[in-house]
Amino acid sequence: MQLALFWIFSILMLLFALGVVFFRSPVNSAMCLVMSFVALAALFVTLDAYFIGVVQVLVYAGAVMVLFLFIIMLLDLRSEENRRVKISAWVGGGLVVGGFV
C-alpha cells in the first residue's frame, strides 16, 4: 500500500510540475506549484518523515506561495497577454533541452 501511494503521489507531483512549466497564466502556474508542494509533502509522509512533510506545507505552500501570489497580483498581466513567443526562443530552448538530454 505504501509503495502504491508513493507512486501515485510522485506521478501527481510530476504532472503538477509540468503544469507549472506549461501553463501560460502565472496564477495557474502558482496553483500548480502549490499542489506540487502538497504532493511532495505527501511523499515525505509516505517515507515516514512527518515533520518534514508538515514543514513543507507550512513554510512553502503557506508562506512562500502567499508571497508569490501577492507579487503575481501586482504584475500587469494585460501586457504579458500581448507578448508573443518568437520562433528563435523555441529553437534556442529546444537546443538547450537537447544539450541536457
Side-chain angles (χ1 to χ4, degrees), residues 22-94:
F22 289 119
F23 278 136
R24 298 274 301 167
S25 171
V27 176
N28 290 341
S29 293
M31 288 298 123
C32 281
L33 189 60
V34 168
M35 291 308 298
S36 180
F37 285 156
V38 170
L40 182 63
L43 279 177
F44 284 134
V45 169
T46 60
L47 295 172
D48 294 329
Y50 301 108
F51 179 73
I52 297 175
V54 169
V55 168
Q56 177 78 26
V57 170
L58 288 177
V59 172
Y60 288 111
V64 173
M65 287 311 301
V66 166
L67 291 175
F68 282 173
L69 286 175
F70 182 71
I71 291 171
I72 287 171
M73 294 304 166
L74 289 176
L75 292 175
D76 185 20
L77 296 179
R78 288 184 208 102
S79 66
E80 291 294 323
E81 290 176 358
N82 295 334
R83 205 176 91 200
R84 299 284 182 230
V85 179
K86 297 178 184 170
I87 191 70
S88 60
W90 281 97
V91 171

